[in-house]
Amino acid sequence: MNIGLTGGIASGKSTVASILVERGAVLVDADRIAREVVLPGTELLEQVANRFGQAILNPDGSLNRKKLGEIVFADDAARKDLEGLLHPQIRLGMKQRMQEAEDTDPGRLVVVDVPLLYESGLQHMFEQVMVVYVPRSKQLERLMARDGITAAQAEQRLNAQMDIEKKKELADIVINNEGSLTDTIRQIDHFIEGKGL
Ligand SMILES: CC(C)(COP(=O)(O)OP(=O)(O)OC[C@H]1O[C@@H](n2cnc3c(N)ncnc32)[C@H](O)[C@@H]1O)[C@@H](O)C(=O)NCCC(=O)NCCS
Ligand SMILES: Nc1ncnc2c1ncn2[C@@H]1O[C@H](COP(=O)(O)OP(=O)(O)OP(=O)(O)O)[C@@H](O)[C@H]1O
């Protein structure tokens, strides 16, 4: 079986994913695939550099993610262009890895961490969708602390995504990650037990 794991930026998806992995799940991580598809030497990185300029490359030819992030989170049209280039390959990578995981061990829970699951309308790929929820104020607080960015930069990133309250409404399973890690672990264990895993 599989679940799609989503939420807002810095709501705790990676935290929840690592707990699920500790409980025996196998993880497919869309953010990781998103990094792999633009590694130096890929045709896709060349296309990104053609669209955004050579200045978004580091001297060693790798993608300067910070610089590209500053461009695309301040400009909706630029972000859509980047998504148009990257999303088809990210989706393909996700499908391949989900298939590999299911073929290797059909009984195992496959957790697919997809930050933009609802924004991209990918619900159909999953048996159930789990949303890691924290209120917007906590999302901002944790994002600023983790990435060392200003409130204005954090607001820009949040505004590029569907509102977390809406995601919570759409979810099949909600993990509330506002409280302590212990509280979150308890909710995950409840889910695991309910599935008989
Ligand atoms: C703009 C980029 C280079 C910034 O890289 P950076 O290392 O700073 O961030 P990282 O990739 O770790 O993403 C962190 C978080 O930002 C959010 N985010 C990333 N891309 C987007 C986007 N297009 N729209 C809204 N939120 C986004 C997600 O919550 C993600 O988990 C990078 O995010 C990117 O290539 N984005 C486009 C691909 C994409 O849509 N990825 C997210 C879904 S797989
Ligand atoms: N229950 C919690 N209590 C306190 N801090 C937490 C809790 N859960 C997560 N965090 C912290 O909040 C930050 C965001 O969590 P995490 O990186 O798991 O979010 P994410 O949703 O995977 O982020 P992104 O969308 O950027 O990939 C991290 O610094 C993490 O350590």
Side-chain angles (χ1 to χ4, degrees):
M1 70 165 292
N2 70 54
I3 58 167
L5 177 67
T6 194
I9 186 166
S11 72
K13 296 177 296 295
S14 309
T15 304
V16 168
S18 58
I19 300 163
L20 286 164
V21 166
E22 275 172 25
R23 301 294 186 264
V26 54
L27 176 66
V28 175
D29 181 348
D31 270 344
R32 188 171 164 180
I33 296 170
R35 285 166 193 265
E36 290 172 1
V37 296
V38 288
L39 282 173
T42 56
E43 201 187 314
L44 202 50
L45 181 58
E46 213 170 289
Q47 289 173 9
V48 171
N50 286 340
R51 163 62 181 83
F52 293 95
Q54 300 298 315
I56 55 106
L57 298 178
N58 290 311
D60 67 0
S62 63
L63 180 62
N64 185 331
R65 305 182 63 84
K66 187 170 179 286
K67 204 172 259 181
L68 184 57
E70 281 164 8
I71 298 171
V72 301
F73 290 116
D75 178 348
D76 284 353
R79 200 178 64 255
K80 295 284 166 225
D81 283 353
L82 180 65
E83 291 174 355
L85 290 170
L86 266 56
H87 283 188
Q89 284 216 30
I90 297 172
R91 235 166 267 175
L92 195 66
M94 276 166 51
K95 282 187 185 148
Q96 282 170 348
R97 277 171 219 203
M98 284 172 69
Q99 193 61 54
E100 274 164 28
E102 278 161 24
D103 290 347
T104 310
D105 190 350
R108 204 157 159 201
L109 173 66
V110 181
V111 174
V112 193
D113 184 342
V114 196
L116 302 181
L117 189 152
Y118 287 123
E119 288 86 344
S120 302
L122 300 182
Q123 297 92 310
H124 63 276
M125 287 177 67
F126 309 102
E127 286 166 37
Q128 286 186 306
V129 176
M130 175 184 276
V131 167
V132 184
Y133 171 82
V134 295
R136 187 181 165 99
S137 55
K138 188 134 274 181
Q139 228 185 319
L140 271 171
E141 191 185 295
R142 288 185 183 165
L143 178 58
M144 288 165 65
R146 188 195 61 188
D147 292 357
I149 57 176
T150 64
Q153 285 172 320
E155 288 270 2
Q156 268 184 349
R157 290 200 174 213
L158 255 73
N159 291 341
Q161 303 191 344
M162 185 190 285
D163 188 76
I164 194 148
E165 297 298 332
K166 176 85 185 151
K167 291 187 182 181
K168 187 183 175 193
E169 272 171 35
L170 293 168
D172 299 306
I173 310 142
V174 177
I175 299 290
N176 187 319
N177 188 36
E178 273 178 81
S180 67
L181 208 53
T182 313
D183 191 31
T184 296
I185 292 170
R186 190 185 48 72
Q187 295 172 64
I188 295 169
D189 284 339
H190 181 74
F191 163 76
I192 295 274
E193 277 158 32
K195 288 278 161 205
L197 292 164

